[in-house]
Amino acid sequence: DISRTAERADMRVYLIGGIVRDLFLERPNDDIDIVVEGNGIDFAEHLRTDYGGSVKMHETFGTASWIHPSGLYIDVTSARLEYYERPASLPDVELSTLSEDLYRRDFTINSMALCLNPEVFGDLVDPFNGQADLRSKTIKVLHNLSFIDDPTRILRAVRFETRFDFLMDKQTESLALNSMARMRDLSAHRIVEEMKRLFKDEDPPGTIKRLFKLTFWQQFGVDDGSAEQSYIHAGQLKMFYEIHKPPAGQKARWFNYFAIPFFTSKKMYLMSQFSLTKRNNKFLQDIRNLSDMEGVERIREPGEFHRFLKHYEDEAIIFMIAKENMENEDIITSYLKRRIDMPIFLTGEDLIREGMKPGPHFRGILLDLEVAVLNGEINSRDEAVEWLH
Ligand code: CTP
């Protein structure tokens, strides 16, 4: 579609950035970015005229999104605008040629473009040799100031390393180390956004370790020495998620991983430097309460934990286990497993039906029942009714 419109509109049109990288890596990517040598907004309008859908304009940036009738988003930017076409109110918006657009990007593997015009369809524009770096699995910046321009790129580099099993080249890694202190200049919001993306990827324990090596955590007050413990702790959490597979997105997994280095350094208070949601703060509070809880280490039956831990999230309990190195760790783990699929044999309604007078004591009875179920003493509804009498 785009190719035919490019021909009709007589504009050079390129696929650019992450989508080109992912095409070569044969990985799925719905983020379609195209660049036209000409006016991007005009080109998006051409696409709409030819194929329907709708156009969203972002005039200040000279860009537009064409929304294909199927709902797919295609972002269109302008690589070159004639002088008179520049938005007059914004003289400092820089508009440039395709190569300059590529030069402003983060890594060589993200700085390639594929021409979409029919006569040269598939021609690769690769001024920084991104192809070779894809082959050698290397993340390489285009110039020495790249991380100074934008320190979040260091986090992007780590993300691509883990996601594709690539590595930064020596020069890029040493630039990352040297620019790491700039991370502190970023807003809490930007760090948090990058953390969300970083901990969505395949290997959170590896990511945590790598960020220690690059001194990311240390910028925010975490101790150097807690790297190993954080790695182990993250591994436990990952294993938990693999076994229990809570619905994706339901829980703030990224946050739980993000909290680990602060937790293992015993410096959770430092997390207040990131603007946290109520939910995040509640989680931190729960971990603190659990760490202070007395008597749990003496418990020997899964059900007994329930009296202490009923109202705590699974992940908070995992934090407690990781910290205390408890002797009865296996029992807590089996408590967690049983609790996740604990059957409900009786409800308050059932108690009334069994002739009991409703009241606040119901809560205690139902808790005792849950404890007995978790201990394996009650295994069916009939047994529960019998237990009641
Ligand atoms: N980019 C950049 N510097 C940044 C962010 C982005 O140079 N700090 C450039 C990269 O060339 C990247 C493109 O903008 O390819 C699009 O960014 P984005 O969609 O965030 O990244 P993708 O590379 O598409 O990665 P992902 O697959 O994770 O979306």
Side-chain angles (χ1 to χ4, degrees), residues 307-338:
R307 297 190 189 281
F308 289 89
L309 306 177
K310 179 180 160 95
H311 296 292
Y312 290 97
E313 279 184 42
D314 301 342
E315 286 90 338
I317 297 173
I318 290 177
F319 270 72
M320 174 176 84
I321 302 174
K323 181 175 181 185
E324 301 297 332
N325 251 331
M326 299 164 102
E327 251 178 65
N328 52 358
E329 192 179 310
D330 291 353
I331 309 169
I332 307 188
T333 314
S334 82
Y335 158 63
L336 269 183
K337 280 189 195 141
R338 290 183 196 189

Side-chain angles (χ1 to χ4, degrees), residues 170 232 264 289 324 340:
K170 270 218 168 74
I232 294 170
T264 32
N289 292 347
E324 301 297 332
I340 287 164

Side-chain angles (χ1 to χ4, degrees), residues 237-337:
L237 191 59
K238 183 171 179 234
M239 207 149 69
F240 172 79
Y241 285 134
E242 274 164 10
I243 296 168
H244 296 298
K245 294 211 170 57
Q250 186 204 38
K251 292 199 171 150
R253 289 186 196 200
W254 72 269
F255 180 74
N256 299 339
Y257 284 116
F258 182 48
I260 287 175
F262 295 95
F263 179 75
T264 32
S265 318
K266 303 192 169 50
K267 289 186 172 172
M268 293 246 287
Y269 60 90
L270 289 175
M271 293 197 80
S272 59
Q273 60 195 307
F274 304 96
S275 37
L276 302 178
T277 61
K278 255 196 192 145
R279 194 205 152 93
N280 296 152
N281 276 318
K282 169 160 188 319
F283 183 72
L284 294 182
Q285 188 58 47
D286 281 355
I287 298 175
R288 248 175 262 138
N289 292 347
L290 281 177
S291 303
D292 295 342
M293 201 173 269
E294 285 180 20
V296 237
E297 66 286 350
R298 289 189 294 275
I299 294 174
R300 289 290 170 266
E301 279 189 298
E304 289 309 310
F305 279 116
H306 202 51
R307 297 190 189 281
F308 289 89
L309 306 177
K310 179 180 160 95
H311 296 292
Y312 290 97
E313 279 184 42
D314 301 342
E315 286 90 338
I317 297 173
I318 290 177
F319 270 72
M320 174 176 84
I321 302 174
K323 181 175 181 185
E324 301 297 332
N325 251 331
M326 299 164 102
E327 251 178 65
N328 52 358
E329 192 179 310
D330 291 353
I331 309 169
I332 307 188
T333 314
S334 82
Y335 158 63
L336 269 183
K337 280 189 195 141

Side-chain angles (χ1 to χ4, degrees), residues 16-22 28-31 33 75 101-107 109-112 142 146 150-154 156 159-160 163-164 190 194 197 201:
I16 196 161
I19 177 95
V20 178
R21 173 200 72 215
D22 286 342
N29 187 335
D30 291 338
D31 242 345
D33 292 312
D75 287 322
D101 178 309
L102 291 171
Y103 192 72
R104 279 200 300 264
R105 290 171 184 257
D106 50 4
F107 308 116
I109 57 164
N110 288 338
S111 307
M112 297 184 279
L142 307 187
S146 186
D150 179 357
T152 61
R153 285 178 172 170
I154 304 176
R156 290 173 59 83
R159 187 148 57 86
F160 295 130
R163 189 196 296 171
F164 304 137
R190 286 197 70 194
E194 287 302 323
R197 300 174 81 185
D201 269 353

